[in-house]
Amino acid sequence: MYFRPEILAMAGYVPGEQPQAGKFIKLNTNENPYPPPSGIKQAIDECLTRGLQRYPDPMANAFRTRAAEIFDLPSKDWIMAGNGSDDILTICTRALVGAGDLLRLPYPSYILYRSLAEIQGARWEEIDFHADWTLPETFAKPADGLKLVFLPNPNSPTGTMISRETILEIADALPCPLLVDEAYVDFASFSCIDLPKQNEKILVSRTLSKSFGLAGLRFGYVVGQPHMIEQLIKVKDSYNCDSLSIAAATAAIHDQAWLAENRRKVIATREKLAAGLAQLGFEVIPSEANFVWCTHPSKPAKPIYEALKNAKILIRYMNYPRFGDGLRISVGTDDQNDALLSLLASLVQA
Amino acid sequence: MYFRPEILAMAGYVPGEQPQAGKFIKLNTNENPYPPPSGIKQAIDECLTRGLQRYPDPMANAFRTRAAEIFDLPSKDWIMAGNGSDDILTICTRALVGAGDLLRLPYPSYILYRSLAEIQGARWEEIDFHADWTLPETFAKPADGLKLVFLPNPNSPTGTMISRETILEIADALPCPLLVDEAYVDFASFSCIDLPKQNEKILVSRTLSKSFGLAGLRFGYVVGQPHMIEQLIKVKDSYNCDSLSIAAATAAIHDQAWLAENRRKVIATREKLAAGLAQLGFEVIPSEANFVWCTHPSKPAKPIYEALKNAKILIRYMNYPRFGDGLRISVGTDDQNDALLSLLASLVQA
């Protein structure tokens, strides 16, 4: 049947529902409820005026230069841009992990990592979090064929974090690169974006999808030492970022004041959400991301997800073998939050 | 050094120069000299008004549905969209060609195909065109581990084509899929977009970069039987096309009248370019694309390329072992064409 056996065997990663019609309160894929910085429209208009006939800058240097300044990196050569951070994760896996090699990830975590290993014909190994959401020492242990370790920080679906000190220790102990996936870091209390300076094995990926309200634009990037970035560039498609997204991403990251205010609003609503859920009897893991993970001691999760969906509120029901099922709820606006909590109240108190 | 040996060993594909500053007459990467259909600006504005906070439709169904109507395909399930046709070529290679497998391509042709094989740790085999730009029978022969055959049609750098009948024969004889890369087909006298209906092994890829003046947007697609498309979908990034490009591509492909007029203009200028070059003593291969390949019996190609570049006219100098070097010149506007030919006249008649 023509295709590689690994491809035929795999189910394929299924992203969260993206209803294209109908008015949903959409709290299932960790999008930002607020519109992106206003400078984006102007950047896109200017780009349209220049025209789209020409290929984009293959390296997105306008973005790299601005981002290197903001993150106090020695030069733009510490950054590679991608078509969303999915593109970054794909490129890193293709560059580092060959057929039969091993990719490591924590569990429970972002399911896409496993699909990326499967596409490569590679093995993957999940290391369970401890009950307190720290990682066992085995996470940093060398292993036969181990070529890449993914660590989402904050993690999904839990919103928990591993400390900078521990990340440096893990990278020191590992025989291979450690990709710290910071998709949600702008809602957290610290970041690791400077750590590649201390250890060449550390790569840090970011996206503008969550914190900049630009999920529809597809723009992400990875920070690493220049000799690491140089190898990754060989694997990316020549023109992996389009002219509009480069212009918009450059305008977005420039607006750090917008980011600070957006972060403040999302975190404030997250704390209200967590408190409201707790009041309804949910067990809520303290989150450093723009979502919370919760379970209820007596009410099963799936019927709650379904009842909400019927009422046009979309959250994520997830079921992890060995870990259990629960609800991952993205942080919306205060109004969306109130609507959710009042419906949940009627469901769990019924 | 952490990376897969194949990645460390490879040089990486180097795309044509994309000067980000300076006023060049840019005839080196086969872009369209005319602005894209005007409906694109409105589609992008509407998309911005809806907002970019949400993830795009993972399957770009608006585009697929419209394209299936235009190409008289049974349903949208015959189409998968990509982030430029480079994304399509990458996805097909990853889905079909494993480490150690064999990928076949004609020679001389698009150099990127070899890089895609290299990244997979696969072997590649080049089959030389005959002097009349037909292909030898070996191109259709089964071979050990052969998993994918690329055939650009029209070919680059020559602009020549293989007939529909021959393509059906090649696909019949091959043990694996044949990807007909139709990046330039809108400037040609025929296409193969309906042939996947006749043979499941035929896949046809397209891009909006050339014929729709949208190289900066990154949008391509592949046509194949639904059970083939289904496997390819497993390999693509979930959100490989952004909201703006889906909206713009859907508006673009809808405007077939614009396409017909653009095609007419580009072909008219191509014929003037070919005639002008012949008058200056160049040997020009009759082209069905938006570029021509030419050589001069007495004037070496590289100094011509360099002299043009100094005068801010950028064309492509290419040197193919066993085949020789020459100049690939994209078709610009009539004014650009006149500027090029008058400068070339001073160079070759000096």
Side-chain angles (χ1 to χ4, degrees):
Chain A
M1 239 295 289
Y2 313 126
F3 290 87
R4 293 172 46 222
E6 297 88 345
I7 305 300
L8 292 170
M10 71 184 280
Y13 174 75
V14 178
E17 296 166 88
Q18 304 294 351
Q20 299 300 309
K23 261 198 113 46
F24 279 90
I25 293 183
K26 196 166 170 305
L27 304 174
N28 69 324
T29 51
N30 301 338
E31 291 140 327
N32 199 303
Y34 301 105
S38 58
I40 280 168
K41 175 146 175 49
Q42 195 189 332
I44 287 175
D45 282 346
E46 285 170 8
C47 188
L48 286 173
T49 304
R50 282 194 302 273
L52 291 171
Q53 301 101 286
R54 299 302 176 200
Y55 280 98
D57 172 6
M59 289 308 302
N61 282 321
F63 176 85
R64 294 168 93 200
T65 303
R66 191 69 194 96
E69 290 164 6
I70 289 168
F71 298 126
D72 197 21
L73 296 167
S75 82
K76 67 177 168 46
D77 301 332
W78 288 65
I79 300 174
M80 182 184 77
N83 185 41
S85 67
D86 280 359
D87 186 30
I88 297 293
L89 304 177
T90 295
I91 291 166
C92 290
T93 307
R94 293 174 71 203
L96 290 158
V97 187
D101 288 341
L102 181 65
L103 184 149
R104 180 178 290 162
L105 59 152
Y107 184 83
S109 162
Y110 190 21
I111 297 162
L112 175 72
Y113 303 144
R114 303 196 317 212
S115 302
L116 294 175
E118 281 173 1
I119 295 173
Q120 289 298 99
R123 297 169 291 135
W124 44 267
E125 168 184 69
E126 290 173 332
I127 306 288
D128 289 8
F129 279 105
H130 287 311
D132 66 354
W133 304 109
T134 59
L135 282 165
E137 275 184 27
T138 47
F139 193 77
K141 279 253 166 71
D144 201 33
L146 182 65
K147 292 297 170 63
L148 176 61
V149 177
F150 278 126
L151 180 61
N153 209 42
N155 185 44
S156 170
T158 56
T160 54
M161 290 189 91
I162 300 297
S163 73
R164 288 166 53 89
E165 296 66 32
T166 304
I167 283 173
L168 281 171
E169 283 167 20
I170 293 170
D172 268 341
L174 282 173
C176 70
L178 170 68
L179 188 140
V180 183
D181 180 345
E182 293 200 336
Y184 300 106
V185 84
D186 287 313
F187 309 106
S189 51
F190 65 89
S191 125
C192 297
I193 199 152
D194 58 314
L195 296 189
K197 291 183 200 168
Q198 293 190 46
N199 189 326
E200 65 174 3
K201 282 181 273 181
I202 298 180
L203 299 168
V204 177
S205 70
R206 293 265 186 112
T207 173
L208 274 65
S209 293
K210 321 290 181 181
S211 50
F212 279 100
L214 289 171
L217 187 74
R218 316 307 304 127
F219 200 92
Y221 54 99
V222 58
V223 172
Q225 292 196 10
H227 71 281
M228 304 291 284
I229 297 292
E230 207 177 300
Q231 300 299 324
L232 297 175
I233 289 169
K234 293 181 184 176
V235 176
K236 82 180 187 70
D237 283 344
S238 306
Y239 303 107
N240 61 331
C241 297
D242 67 88
S243 301
L244 298 171
S245 74
I246 295 170
T250 308
I253 201 164
H254 187 71
D255 200 344
Q256 293 286 311
W258 182 94
L259 179 62
E261 173 58 14
N262 183 269
R263 170 189 148 82
R264 191 196 59 72
K265 284 191 290 192
V266 171
I267 291 176
T269 309
R270 179 184 75 202
E271 298 312 309
K272 280 186 229 172
L273 171 61
L277 288 168
Q279 213 161 20
L280 295 174
F282 284 92
E283 282 160 14
V284 186
I285 300 175
S287 168
E288 299 225 39
N290 67 336
F291 55 82
V292 299
W293 175 261
C294 63
T295 51
H296 196 282
S298 63
K299 305 280 176 181
K302 198 164 189 190
I304 295 177
Y305 155 77
E306 282 162 352
L308 289 174
K309 188 173 174 183
N310 283 337
K312 298 272 180 192
I313 298 182
L314 213 52
I315 63 171
R316 193 86 176 253
Y317 167 76
M318 286 165 148
N319 188 2
Y320 294 91
R322 294 200 309 283
F323 169 70
D325 65 350
L327 303 171
R328 196 192 67 182
I329 307 176
S330 307
V331 176
T333 62
D334 276 338
D335 284 353
Q336 293 174 329
N337 198 42
D338 291 346
L340 170 81
L341 287 171
S342 94
L343 191 53
L344 276 177
S346 71
L347 289 170
V348 300
Q349 290 165 349
Chain B
M1 242 292 293
Y2 312 126
F3 290 87
R4 293 172 47 223
E6 298 88 346
I7 306 301
L8 291 170
M10 72 185 279
Y13 174 74
V14 179
E17 297 166 86
Q18 302 296 353
Q20 298 302 309
K23 260 198 113 46
F24 279 89
I25 293 183
K26 196 166 170 305
L27 305 173
N28 68 324
T29 51
N30 302 337
E31 291 140 327
N32 199 303
Y34 301 105
S38 58
I40 281 169
K41 174 144 177 49
Q42 195 189 331
I44 287 175
D45 281 347
E46 284 169 10
C47 188
L48 287 173
T49 304
R50 282 193 302 274
L52 292 172
Q53 301 100 287
R54 299 301 176 203
Y55 280 98
D57 173 6
M59 288 309 300
N61 281 322
F63 176 86
R64 294 168 92 199
T65 303
R66 190 69 195 96
E69 289 164 7
I70 289 169
F71 299 125
D72 197 23
L73 296 166
S75 81
K76 65 175 171 49
D77 301 333
W78 288 65
I79 300 175
M80 182 185 77
N83 183 41
S85 66
D86 280 358
D87 187 30
I88 298 292
L89 304 176
T90 295
I91 291 166
C92 290
T93 307
R94 294 174 70 202
L96 291 158
V97 187
D101 288 341
L102 180 65
L103 183 149
R104 180 178 290 164
L105 60 153
Y107 183 82
S109 164
Y110 189 21
I111 297 163
L112 175 72
Y113 303 143
R114 305 198 312 213
S115 302
L116 294 175
E118 282 173 0
I119 295 173
Q120 289 298 99
R123 296 168 293 134
W124 44 268
E125 168 184 69
E126 290 172 330
I127 306 288
D128 289 8
F129 279 105
H130 287 311
D132 67 353
W133 304 108
T134 59
L135 283 165
E137 276 183 27
T138 47
F139 193 78
K141 281 253 166 73
D144 199 34
L146 183 65
K147 293 297 170 64
L148 177 60
V149 177
F150 279 126
L151 180 61
N153 209 42
N155 185 44
S156 171
T158 56
T160 54
M161 290 189 90
I162 301 298
S163 74
R164 288 165 53 89
E165 296 67 31
T166 305
I167 283 173
L168 282 170
E169 283 167 21
I170 293 171
D172 268 341
L174 282 173
C176 69
L178 171 67
L179 188 140
V180 183
D181 179 348
E182 293 200 336
Y184 300 107
V185 84
D186 287 313
F187 310 105
S189 51
F190 65 89
S191 123
C192 297
I193 199 151
D194 58 314
L195 295 190
K197 291 182 200 167
Q198 294 189 45
N199 189 325
E200 64 175 3
K201 282 182 273 180
I202 298 180
L203 300 167
V204 177
S205 70
R206 293 266 186 110
T207 173
L208 274 64
S209 293
K210 323 289 183 183
S211 50
F212 279 99
L214 288 171
L217 188 73
R218 317 308 303 128
F219 199 92
Y221 54 100
V222 58
V223 173
Q225 292 195 11
H227 70 282
M228 303 291 284
I229 296 293
E230 207 177 300
Q231 299 299 324
L232 297 176
I233 289 170
K234 293 181 184 176
V235 177
K236 83 177 187 72
D237 283 345
S238 307
Y239 303 107
N240 60 332
C241 297
D242 67 88
S243 301
L244 298 171
S245 73
I246 295 170
T250 308
I253 202 163
H254 187 72
D255 199 344
Q256 293 286 310
W258 183 94
L259 178 63
E261 173 59 14
N262 183 269
R263 169 188 150 81
R264 191 196 58 73
K265 285 191 289 191
V266 170
I267 291 176
T269 309
R270 178 183 75 202
E271 298 313 309
K272 279 187 229 171
L273 171 61
L277 288 168
Q279 214 162 17
L280 294 175
F282 283 92
E283 282 160 13
V284 186
I285 300 175
S287 168
E288 298 225 40
N290 67 336
F291 55 83
V292 299
W293 175 261
C294 63
T295 51
H296 196 282
S298 62
K299 304 281 177 181
K302 198 164 189 190
I304 295 176
Y305 154 77
E306 282 162 353
L308 289 174
K309 188 174 175 185
N310 283 337
K312 298 270 181 195
I313 298 182
L314 213 51
I315 64 170
R316 193 85 176 252
Y317 168 76
M318 286 165 148
N319 188 2
Y320 294 91
R322 295 198 309 282
F323 169 68
D325 64 350
L327 302 171
R328 196 191 66 184
I329 307 176
S330 307
V331 176
T333 62
D334 276 339
D335 284 353
Q336 293 175 328
N337 197 42
D338 292 346
L340 170 81
L341 287 172
S342 93
L343 192 52
L344 276 177
S346 70
L347 289 171
V348 300
Q349 290 165 347

